[in-house]
Amino acid sequence: MGVHYMNYRDIDINDYDSVVVGSGFAGSVVARELAERGDARVLIIEKRPHIGGNMYDEKDEAGILVHRYGPHIFHTNNQRVFNYLRQFSGWIGYQHHVLADWYGTYIPVPFNKNSMEMVFGEEKAAHLIDKLIDTFGDERKVTINELRAQDDPELAEIADFVYKNVFLYYTQKQWGLTPEEVDPSVTARVPVFISRDNRYFQDEYQGMPQDGYTVLFENLLDHPSIDVCLNTEAESVFDLEFTDESEDAQLVAIRLHEKPFEGPIIYTGPLDELFLARFGRLPYRSLNFVYETYDEEYHLPCGTVNHTVTDDYTRETEFKHLTCQKSDKTTCMKEYSCAYTDPDTQIPYYAILSEENNAHYARYRKLTESLDNFYPLGRLAEYRYYNMDKIVELALDLSDEILARMPDVIDDGDGDAIEAVREPNEA
Ligand code: FAD
Ligand code: UDP
């Protein structure tokens, strides 16, 4: 059957039990669950001309499958999440490898025992590795902040090297901030790994959807009770109703087609945009992507090369390593990070986590708390740094919560909802 696309002008809002804003993993998983397990009719409003959010991929002019919003590699330890996604696509068991281009020498990232041998030489590295093992244990992951906090001069030497050659310049390019200035959870994503394991992730389930993410999303949204309106911005069709005229007045209803919509509204866009940035814009980082196609089978030694000490882009990714596509041509993509200043032409990719920004976000979030049927979900709406698997997990959890509240459904917890049997005298 395929995804059912509608023009917003042609819809009758009374036909729907739920409205979802955004068709990334957050919006699409909830839409599918409410339709499938709750028998709900769901309308998805998506401002882009396609489904799939930041996971969207397509073939470029050379026929190479490329990701349009940054390279996306799926990895998780959550079996429920992986089993869920397996229903909508076959998977290629891809393990991601990243090398840092260190003045022309490729060293494994996360920085590990192999990287240490390359930069310190075998003899010195053996001694330093023993020191690391004695201090933290073998096969352990240590954040750069933990390592820098050590007093021992030899550990300080390792910390200093990794800080200067892996984190400092990359972080400055990516965030416009030093590693000390970014939230510690950000650099903790890429710890020093006291191991010979050169993989970027150690999760139990890792891979790529066999035919790409867009096909996965087409299967996820291929349901007779889901309609999708593309090129439609929530702000242009939502009419917000507040308790009063004051700046901090609480949201009491969202009107669609002139009347308050009473079913669940799942919102996965930026919260500041919904409120027309009344408290000022939330800070984000944006990205520019530059693609290049080469007449050669492979151009890079692995999926991604990080430019940690030179160049003005952060990393370069060669999609064929990720997708295992066969071709005598190849396409690579460089990522240039920049400030997010213009919502009309830029995309907010990364929330910039800090106490101040989190408080700024909390002020927006507070406006929504009085509206029972409004659910902010996802990387943008929650102003968080979530990977795809976490989003799918949260979307499944939220679906469980909404389904438990829906009047006509009893969820027996095994993923298949069953219709509630109504007593004859019940309303
Ligand atoms: P999104 O995918 O951003 O979807 C939100 C959707 O809502 C979009 O389609 C948007 O157009 C739509 N929308 C927003 N506002 C409105 C509005 N007002 N009206 C209508 N529609 C609206 N995670 C991993 O697990 N592995 C990776 O390798 C990985 N790589 C990444 C690389 C980059 C460069 C970035 C930025 C992120 C990466 N991620 C990765 C994280 C991943 O992109 C997110 O976890 C995921 O996109 C979150 O899904 P979402 O549905 O919350 O948001
Ligand atoms: N980072 C770095 N050098 C690297 C890799 C990562 O400094 O070679 C830092 C940088 O601050 C980055 C953060 O670690 O933003 C998280 O890296 P990750 O690869 O997880 O970023 P993402 O894939 O989410 O952009």
Side-chain angles (χ1 to χ4, degrees):
M1 179 195 132
V3 182
H4 191 233
Y5 292 105
M6 297 275 290
N7 191 319
Y8 189 77
R9 275 198 313 266
D10 301 331
I11 64 135
D12 178 350
I13 198 66
N14 299 309
D15 289 344
Y16 299 98
D17 302 302
S18 176
V19 170
V20 172
V21 175
S23 63
F25 268 128
S28 299
V29 168
V30 177
R32 176 73 187 214
E33 288 304 277
L34 298 190
E36 181 98 1
R37 288 160 57 197
D39 212 11
R41 291 155 305 169
V42 183
L43 176 68
I44 298 185
I45 294 171
E46 168 57 62
K47 73 176 179 186
R48 292 182 190 166
H50 57 73
I51 57 169
N54 285 351
M55 281 57 69
Y56 178 72
D57 54 18
E58 63 179 354
K59 288 203 168 154
D60 66 5
E61 281 181 7
I64 307 298
L65 187 68
V66 298
H67 297 180
R68 288 298 181 200
Y69 304 93
H72 280 74
I73 297 105
F74 186 82
H75 56 102
T76 191
N77 284 318
N78 186 322
Q79 197 177 0
R80 182 187 185 200
V81 165
F82 191 55
N83 283 345
Y84 181 78
L85 293 179
R86 270 212 285 231
Q87 301 174 82
F88 305 105
S89 176
W91 287 77
I92 299 166
Y94 169 73
Q95 308 272 329
H96 195 45
H97 286 76
V98 175
L99 293 169
D101 181 337
W102 182 59
Y103 303 108
T105 300
Y106 289 127
I107 59 171
V109 176
F111 195 84
N112 64 17
K113 291 179 183 172
N114 299 325
S115 325
M116 287 184 69
E117 282 175 2
M118 294 173 86
V119 303
F120 294 121
E122 270 184 39
E123 205 177 311
K124 183 167 176 186
H127 175 69
L128 293 176
I129 289 168
D130 284 345
K131 192 87 184 235
L132 281 172
I133 295 172
D134 286 349
T135 314
F136 300 104
D138 203 8
E139 296 299 319
R140 296 290 303 278
K141 292 181 173 174
V142 185
T143 69
I144 184 63
N145 290 349
E146 273 175 273
L147 198 55
R148 291 187 86 208
Q150 303 299 312
D151 289 331
D152 180 279
E154 285 175 324
L155 293 181
E157 186 186 348
I158 307 171
D160 195 49
F161 181 89
V162 177
Y163 176 81
K164 286 190 180 135
N165 292 282
V166 179
F167 284 96
L168 180 60
Y169 185 47
Y170 187 104
T171 300
Q172 282 175 325
K173 285 188 279 188
Q174 172 72 3
W175 298 97
L177 298 169
T178 63
E180 295 89 321
E181 289 166 333
V182 298
D183 189 272
S185 64
V186 173
T187 50
R189 290 168 60 89
V190 187
V192 169
F193 192 17
I194 308 168
S195 173
R196 297 268 171 205
D197 185 343
N198 282 341
R199 296 171 306 159
Y200 204 57
F201 310 113
Q202 278 67 43
D203 292 350
E204 192 172 344
Y205 308 99
Q206 304 191 35
M208 299 293 290
Q210 186 177 275
D211 302 308
Y213 287 97
T214 302
V215 171
L216 184 157
F217 276 88
E218 282 167 355
N219 294 334
L220 187 57
L221 296 178
D222 178 0
H223 191 282
S225 298
I226 301 177
D227 291 336
V228 180
C229 294
L230 297 176
N231 302 304
T232 309
E233 209 160 5
E235 299 84 278
S236 64
V237 298
F238 280 10
D239 189 7
L240 307 188
E241 207 177 292
F242 296 93
T243 41
D244 57 67
E245 302 280 288
S246 69
E247 205 183 40
D248 283 301
Q250 301 261 304
L251 187 61
V252 285
I254 294 180
R255 301 173 79 87
L256 278 152
H257 285 185
E258 324 239 294
K259 84 174 204 243
F261 188 83
E262 283 172 2
I265 300 174
I266 294 87
Y267 183 82
T268 75
L271 263 197
D272 55 329
E273 267 181 35
L274 181 66
F275 296 104
L276 307 176
R278 65 166 64 171
F279 306 134
R281 293 216 165 275
L282 286 170
Y284 290 94
R285 290 296 281 179
S286 191
L287 294 170
N288 291 314
F289 303 114
V290 175
Y291 295 84
E292 206 158 336
T293 298
Y294 301 91
D295 274 326
E296 49 189 306
E297 203 180 349
Y298 284 100
H299 187 68
L300 298 178
C302 62
T304 296
V305 172
N306 285 2
H307 288 251
T308 57
V309 283
T310 53
D311 300 297
D312 49 358
Y313 52 96
T314 51
R315 60 187 175 188
E316 183 172 16
T317 295
E318 181 166 19
F319 293 103
K320 276 173 59 185
H321 284 290
L322 278 52
T323 58
C324 301
Q325 190 181 348
K326 300 280 170 241
S327 169
D328 53 6
K329 290 184 194 308
T330 189
T331 300
C332 297
M333 185 185 74
K334 291 175 179 160
E335 292 175 55
Y336 292 83
S337 174
C338 57
Y340 174 67
T341 51
D342 182 3
D344 292 334
T345 57
Q346 290 180 305
I347 291 175
Y349 283 108
Y350 295 92
I352 305 174
L353 306 177
S354 72
E355 255 175 51
E356 187 189 345
N357 297 348
N358 298 347
H360 189 173
Y361 166 78
R363 203 168 165 206
Y364 280 111
R365 182 69 179 250
K366 198 157 193 318
L367 299 183
T368 70
E369 278 169 10
S370 48
L371 189 56
D372 280 356
N373 61 333
F374 184 82
Y375 301 92
L377 176 72
R379 228 194 203 209
L380 296 166
E382 297 182 64
Y383 201 68
R384 297 286 293 274
Y385 197 154
Y386 288 138
N387 288 335
M388 293 181 278
D389 63 326
K390 186 67 188 174
I391 294 290
V392 174
E393 179 190 328
L394 292 172
L396 290 172
D397 289 349
L398 179 63
S399 305
D400 291 344
E401 186 192 321
I402 295 174
L403 285 165
R405 287 197 202 177
M406 283 173 86
D408 290 323
V409 171
I410 296 172
D411 187 5
D412 56 5
D414 67 357
D416 306 312
I418 49 174
E419 290 293 320
V421 182
R422 280 189 179 169
E423 294 301 321
N425 58 354
E426 257 184 342

